[in-house]
Amino acid sequence: MPRRRIQVRGVVQGVGFRPAVYRLAHAQGLSGCVWNHAEGVTIEVQGSAVAVSAFEQALQSGIPPPARVQALATQDMDEIPGETGFRILASGAGTEMRPVVPPDLAVCEACAAEMDTLGERRHRYPFTNCTRCGPRYTIIESLPYDRPQTAMKAFPLCPDCAREYRDPTDRRFHAQPVACPACGPRLTLRHADGSARAEGEAALQAASVALRAGAVLALKGLGGYQLLVDATSDEAVRRLRSRKRREDKPLAVMFPDLAHLLQACEASAEETVWLTSPEAPILLLRRSEAGAVVEAVAPGNPLLGAFLPYTPLHRLLLTDVDRPLVCTSGNLSDEPMAFEDEEALGRLGGLADLFLTHDRPILRPVDDSVLRVDGDGPTLLRRARGFAPLAVPLALKGPCVLALGAHQKNTIALLKGGELIMSQHLGDLTSPDGADLLARTVEDLLAFFGARPERLACDLHPDYASTSLAERLAAEWEIPLVRVQHHHAHGAACAAERGLKGPVLALAWDGTGLGIDGTLWGGEALRIEGSTFERVGHLRPFPLPGGEAAVREPRRSACGLLWATRGEAAPPPDLAAAFDGPDWALLQAMLAKGLHSPVTSSIGRLFDAVAALVGLQARRGFEGQAAMALEFAAGERAASPYPWEIKEGIADPTLLVEAVLSDLAAGREAAFVAARFHAALADLALAWARLGGLADVVLSGGCFQNALLTARVRARLSGAGFRVHRHHLFPPNDGSISLGQAAVALLEP
Ligand code: ZN
Ligand code: ZN
Ligand code: FE
């Protein structure tokens, strides 16, 4: 009787793969065993030749997601006479097991169907899950991933759940978070003062009635508290905005189902696959005219962040309310999301009218992921739920490195044994809570993956909370600390993600990061090789009166750019409206004296300046808002580029500024200027690529969140024969800085 050993790699641990293998082997009447180990999963099967080959076929096609089989290698083995039954062996089976912390997964179809069926014991139960779906990373205390080491330890299994858990033919076989109304977590609806108002089904129904009446609901979701409000009510959305102190920044909208979503947005086949995937990220989709979602959700924005319910609780609530709901993380701007009950009541008490909570603790905050799909595939803009902390194989071998990332959109990265483990998006580190979250996440990841870093990496900036922590840890652990320049890290991140070994030219365009000369960089062309870089080109620096204040006030960038290119002058007509009273004179005086006016080569700030010059977004806003306004204004129109003067790699924007002003004086509209500006940046990219003289060009930095800019630059460069690479799996923004730092530190001799 033939016996075969099959080595399987891919997403095969912590996703119900072994039970699925058990069921396939059982169906074919095969004996044998399956076990997890450092390299993946190994299976041995024994039986008739027909059954073995049917099993092998089923392994390729019959494994349910989220498991994904990527590589199979098989070999013939000697028969084990008299073997009966198929067994799941303990993890490791003699070899060292590579730790796997599974990510959280959206509710599967089987669980959804069960919840919808009257008479099922999990009918309308908001914590239904199985081996294919449910909470993972957000409820795991420590490894191995077993119920006593999860937030479910306080919920002993009832006899019915215990039977499912032990039955290898059940889809809840070894599902650690398994629960039902008899034994699992329960809902409570609370008033803003914390007092209980309703429990269970009544809590759910009262919450949906309140949402329909325009209330702001704080919902204890999967990875933290969220704020929900009726997305079809202008008044309700404005109430949420004013309480959350978030004026214009787009809010994400959750739809009851795909049909509702498609009434409000357009989604391609690829986008639909993502929307309904186990990762279930927020997708940036084009809004359609007819949708009922009010403009105030994303003012002036042709895109909408849209997603589908990913927990049973969201699903029940959205179905009951039967209309799209704004679903945004529960925090004040720039603070981390609240995820502990007491803390949430305290912090969100003034924001929410009601709290829909439950008694399953959330062990770590995990935000929703954000993804965009364009011409050449997906771009993750925020990597969190569904993706973190899955290890990604990278062609980088060397010592174990821990990198602590940037200051905003922070993530941390652990490089170990040729794999990259990136934390979930941690966000802004400015608040004490943000810095605290960073320190806890470091402990968390190291413990989970049993890692002892041999090197640490951080940004050059001395004032980042991530830098201070890296300095402290390097001293404590007595290991070297590698300080990596911000844009070097951007370029190295993209090269590492795309597996590029040789030298690359990196176009690293973003807001700002500290350069090696002490000025603020952000419009850089860097030749990167190994752990070193050379600055091939950059924007000619211009001053930012008020420094950081310019991030939220694009008019300051415009004022500084005009000062650098034309000297002291009155504001041009389209900009004058943004300067009432003595503001213009004050900023000019600051510039003249060089007071608090750091210089920058940032293309992000150049975007801000041009947006302000054409009268878009001059006064205030969220970071990137002005650039987005220019992107959306430009649309798809073709336009001739503005001119540059480039000497020895330094791009002087004087001609560009003059041309913008003369277009405006000639009555040209913002859209026309915006299109010419994007074309000019594509020209600049090509000029720098030629100067770099390398075949491979990587695009990284926050500016490449702009889909139009990315498309224009790619087209221009590939048209001239360059191979252009951009981020797909990791964000182009500062979310990837930790990856770049880790790659540079690893390559350091
Ligand atoms: Zn399920
Ligand atoms: Zn139960
Ligand atoms: Fe950056």
Side-chain angles (χ1 to χ4, degrees):
M1 226 189 284
R3 182 179 187 86
R4 299 269 275 171
R5 171 177 280 187
I6 306 161
Q7 309 275 8
V8 189
R9 287 173 207 228
V11 182
V12 291
Q13 295 184 357
V15 289
F17 182 72
R18 287 173 302 161
V21 167
Y22 178 97
R23 284 190 291 274
L24 294 180
H26 201 73
Q28 297 297 337
L30 297 166
S31 67
C33 51
V34 57
W35 70 94
N36 271 348
H37 53 80
E39 302 291 308
V41 171
T42 299
I43 305 165
E44 287 188 13
V45 284
Q46 180 170 309
S48 72
V50 175
V52 168
S53 99
F55 173 82
E56 287 178 354
Q57 290 234 319
L59 209 51
Q60 298 272 13
S61 57
I63 297 288
R68 270 195 293 268
V69 174
Q70 276 160 0
L72 289 169
T74 59
Q75 71 192 103
D76 290 319
M77 306 288 290
D78 292 338
E79 183 185 343
I80 298 180
E83 187 189 51
T84 55
F86 189 90
R87 287 170 306 146
I88 297 178
L89 303 182
S91 295
T95 56
E96 193 205 343
M97 186 180 133
R98 180 181 57 177
V100 172
V101 187
D104 302 294
L105 304 166
V107 57
C108 74
E109 275 177 37
C111 286
E114 200 178 337
M115 287 165 56
D116 290 346
T117 308
L118 207 63
E120 282 284 354
R121 62 191 191 92
R122 292 189 181 85
H123 176 59
R124 286 184 63 83
Y125 180 55
F127 303 96
T128 303
N129 65 80
C130 72
T131 47
R132 289 173 217 165
C133 73
R136 301 284 189 276
Y137 184 41
T138 49
I139 59 160
I140 301 177
E141 248 165 42
S142 58
L143 292 176
Y145 170 46
D146 283 322
R147 191 171 177 105
Q149 313 204 69
T150 69
M152 292 303 292
K153 66 183 171 189
F155 302 94
L157 292 175
C158 70
D160 286 333
C161 285
R163 190 165 24 75
E164 293 168 331
Y165 182 87
R166 282 195 305 264
D167 177 0
T169 63
D170 195 282
R171 75 169 201 287
R172 298 207 164 86
F173 179 54
H174 279 218
Q176 307 306 342
V178 65
C180 79
C183 66
R186 281 161 197 267
L187 290 177
T188 305
L189 185 68
R190 296 185 186 284
H191 295 285
D193 64 7
S195 59
R197 178 173 146 183
E199 302 268 328
E201 179 65 30
L204 200 54
Q205 301 211 353
S208 74
V209 169
L211 280 168
R212 289 182 70 101
V216 176
L217 179 75
L219 174 73
K220 184 177 181 184
L222 182 69
Y225 275 80
Q226 295 169 318
L227 294 168
L228 275 61
V229 79
D230 184 353
T232 66
S233 159
D234 188 61
E235 199 192 327
V237 174
R238 285 180 197 285
R239 189 176 311 131
L240 173 66
R241 284 200 180 278
S242 77
R243 291 189 196 168
K244 200 171 141 97
R245 287 181 242 152
R246 178 155 156 165
E247 281 174 20
D248 299 327
K249 205 169 171 185
L251 297 163
V253 176
M254 186 181 273
F255 292 84
D257 51 38
L258 194 59
H260 276 88
L261 185 147
L262 293 174
Q263 286 167 16
C265 324
E266 297 162 21
S268 67
E270 189 182 355
E271 286 164 336
T272 306
V273 167
W274 277 110
L275 285 166
T276 54
S277 67
E279 293 88 359
I282 297 171
L283 258 89
L284 294 188
L285 299 175
R286 198 152 280 277
R287 259 165 118 151
S288 47
E289 303 286 315
V293 172
V294 295
E295 172 70 11
V297 164
N301 197 320
L303 304 179
L304 187 66
F307 60 150
L308 293 174
Y310 53 86
T311 70
L313 178 54
H314 286 100
R315 198 170 170 278
L316 288 167
L317 197 57
L318 270 285
T319 309
D320 289 354
V321 176
D322 195 31
R323 57 179 78 154
L325 296 178
V326 165
C327 183
T328 182
S329 45
N331 57 359
L332 285 174
S333 298
D334 301 337
E335 282 180 4
M337 179 172 49
F339 69 102
E340 285 159 331
D341 299 332
E342 284 294 302
E343 173 211 6
L345 271 171
R347 278 171 54 192
L348 306 179
L351 276 67
D353 301 306
L354 286 169
F355 285 72
L356 185 56
T357 70
H358 56 77
D359 51 357
R360 184 180 75 199
I362 297 172
L363 298 186
R364 59 187 59 74
V366 181
D367 260 298
D368 295 318
S369 295
V370 181
L371 187 138
R372 190 188 65 219
V373 176
D374 41 44
D376 69 332
T379 313
L380 259 180
L381 298 172
R382 182 160 78 198
R383 191 177 182 280
R385 176 179 50 78
F387 297 92
L390 260 191
V392 177
L394 288 183
L396 291 168
K397 295 260 174 354
C400 176
V401 182
L402 175 68
L404 296 193
H407 193 64
Q408 274 155 345
K409 299 187 170 65
N410 178 275
T411 60
I412 64 171
L414 182 65
L415 258 182
K416 187 177 175 250
E419 289 194 322
L420 176 86
I421 296 136
M422 186 184 275
S423 72
Q424 72 275 31
H425 161 92
L426 300 178
D428 196 314
L429 303 183
T430 308
S431 71
D433 284 348
D436 199 50
L437 177 61
L438 172 72
R440 278 160 61 177
T441 307
V442 167
E443 278 177 32
D444 217 26
L445 277 201
L446 295 187
F448 270 142
F449 294 92
R452 281 165 178 264
E454 295 157 81
R455 288 178 188 181
L456 269 161
C458 68
D459 199 274
L460 274 189
H461 203 298
D463 301 333
Y464 286 1
S466 49
T467 305
S468 322
L469 181 62
E471 286 166 348
R472 186 159 68 71
L473 294 176
E476 207 172 289
W477 300 340
E478 298 179 331
I479 58 172
L481 173 61
V482 182
R483 294 170 200 267
V484 183
Q485 197 279 324
H486 188 93
H487 303 91
H488 182 196
H490 269 307
C494 191
E497 179 190 327
R498 306 323 301 166
L500 303 171
K501 292 277 185 199
V504 298
L505 184 83
L507 298 179
W509 297 0
D510 68 356
T512 51
L514 185 61
I516 52 172
D517 59 1
T519 69
L520 299 172
W521 292 9
E524 311 306 311
L526 308 178
R527 184 185 202 280
I528 297 180
E529 184 161 17
S531 66
T532 62
F533 77 95
E534 185 193 331
R535 200 178 186 199
V536 170
H538 60 87
L539 199 65
R540 201 190 95 193
F542 61 95
L544 291 178
E548 277 297 295
V551 174
R552 288 178 200 280
E553 260 186 62
R555 62 181 188 152
R556 289 176 186 260
S557 293
C559 188
L561 182 67
L562 291 172
W563 172 268
T565 53
R566 329 184 86 199
E568 197 176 352
D574 292 87
L575 189 60
F579 291 95
D580 36 26
D583 289 7
W584 174 266
L586 276 173
L587 292 181
Q588 291 284 315
M590 276 171 82
L591 290 164
K593 291 183 188 145
L595 273 179
H596 198 39
S597 298
V599 297
T600 186
S601 56
S602 164
I603 286 185
R605 295 293 90 82
L606 183 67
F607 260 98
D608 287 354
V610 172
L613 286 177
V614 302
L616 294 166
Q617 297 298 341
R619 283 306 286 262
R620 56 157 197 264
F622 55 90
E623 177 164 30
Q625 186 177 11
M628 280 164 67
L630 271 189
E631 174 188 357
F632 299 146
E636 293 296 315
R637 78 186 66 204
S640 65
Y642 287 125
W644 293 98
E645 199 180 336
I646 304 174
K647 276 193 201 134
E648 292 170 356
I650 301 172
D652 187 331
T654 304
L655 295 179
L656 180 142
V657 169
E658 292 304 326
V660 168
L661 293 177
S662 68
D663 271 350
L664 291 172
R668 294 296 200 164
E669 51 188 25
F672 178 81
V673 174
R676 293 194 70 187
F677 178 62
H678 279 80
L681 289 171
D683 266 9
L684 179 61
L686 181 58
W688 280 343
R690 289 205 164 116
L691 210 55
L694 296 169
D696 290 296
V697 180
V698 298
L699 310 182
S700 190
C703 291
F704 291 106
Q705 295 175 108
N706 175 333
L708 177 68
L709 177 71
T710 308
R712 290 274 185 273
V713 168
R714 285 183 65 237
R716 200 88 173 86
L717 293 182
S718 21
F722 293 95
R723 288 191 296 262
V724 190
H725 311 268
R726 68 177 187 88
H727 290 282
H728 291 284
L729 305 173
F730 298 98
N733 57 45
D734 284 5
S736 286
I737 288 292
S738 61
L739 163 58
Q741 291 171 348
V744 171
L746 180 106
L747 293 168
E748 190 101 314

